[in-house]
Amino acid sequence: YRVMGEIARELKQIGSNINQIAKVFNVERLEGGKVPENYPLPEELSAIRSYTDRISQELNQVRLLIIGRKEK
């Protein structure tokens, strides 16, 4: 159970990092800067964020089942 909580925190941090990357990408684009070719595309960032959100929700459901609580 504790490890699952740690994983959930890691997923939130990954999501925060994705948001920071997307913000830098958008600022560079708006300011006419050149974004490096190996930089992830906004669609890729969005897909990764959706995936981490979904995994986080599923993990939370499992954690609640373990302790016998229903989802709010």
Side-chain angles (χ1 to χ4, degrees):
Y1 180 80
R2 189 185 47 146
V3 172
M4 294 173 87
E6 292 171 11
I7 293 169
R9 282 187 291 281
E10 259 319 291
L11 287 170
K12 284 184 182 184
Q13 186 60 45
I14 291 168
S16 293
N17 291 344
I18 291 170
N19 286 343
Q20 291 172 8
I21 292 168
K23 183 177 179 180
V24 169
F25 181 86
N26 288 328
V27 168
E28 275 297 311
R29 246 183 9 182
L30 289 173
E31 292 179 355
K34 185 171 186 309
V35 177
E37 289 184 27
N38 63 346
Y39 212 76
L41 297 174
E43 308 85 53
E44 294 169 328
L45 293 172
S46 179
I48 293 168
R49 180 60 198 248
S50 293
Y51 178 74
T52 59
D53 286 347
R54 191 175 72 240
I55 296 298
S56 184
Q57 289 171 354
E58 290 174 10
L59 181 62
N60 190 50
Q61 289 175 353
V62 171
R63 291 177 69 215
L64 291 173
L65 285 172
I66 288 172
I67 61 171
R69 290 179 52 194
K70 296 192 184 237
E71 191 171 356
K72 294 179 183 178

